[in-house]
Amino acid sequence: MTAQKVLKLSELEQDAAVRVVIDKVPMAVVLDADGEVHAIGDTCTHGDISLAEGFVEGDTLECWAHGSAFSLRTGQPLNLPAYEPVPVYEVTIDGDDILIDPAVTRDVK
Ligand code: FES
């Protein structure tokens, strides 16, 4: 599997998440306040809710349903009720293009 172009940087709004699906893998793509782009699994591990419909705060994405905030860097939930992490995908920026490989998850601790 290779990284695929999914979006353009210019299509992202700061502190807002966009849902994309690559090879049937749903992801939430976020441009944070520091200008960094993140891609994490879009489905909350507490319920079948799209995290991209939630709220970006700092380097977290909060599920709107019950308030678990997931780290955009590690995928770990920082508060209950979710306790399982979501995957974190490698993001490559090439000019204005955002490329993500759905088969590669960043090694998180
Ligand atoms: S469904 Fe996301 S915290 Fe409950």
Side-chain angles (χ1 to χ4, degrees):
M1 194 90 44
T2 55
Q4 299 178 37
K5 281 184 201 172
V6 290
L7 286 166
K8 295 203 172 288
L9 257 181
S10 52
E11 293 175 317
L12 290 181
E13 275 179 50
Q14 191 173 298
D15 288 343
V18 173
R19 184 179 197 270
V20 298
V21 179
I22 309 173
D23 294 339
K24 299 182 182 169
V25 179
M27 303 174 189
V29 181
V30 174
L31 173 65
D32 71 16
D34 294 330
E36 209 173 324
V37 179
H38 307 272
I40 64 172
D42 186 49
T43 306
C44 180
T45 55
H46 180 243
D48 189 17
I49 297 290
S50 167
L51 292 175
E53 295 173 2
F55 316 102
V56 178
E57 199 169 316
D59 61 356
T60 66
L61 180 54
E62 181 182 323
C63 179
W64 62 263
H66 309 107
S68 283
F70 292 81
S71 166
L72 292 168
R73 300 183 187 285
T74 68
Q76 293 288 342
L78 305 179
N79 56 305
L80 295 171
Y83 57 87
E84 293 284 341
V86 292
V88 179
Y89 299 96
E90 283 287 349
V91 175
T92 305
I93 307 295
D94 181 14
D96 192 36
D97 293 325
I98 300 170
L99 297 93
I100 300 172
D101 187 338
V104 175
T105 52
R106 204 180 300 159
D107 200 13
V108 293
K109 298 183 175 62

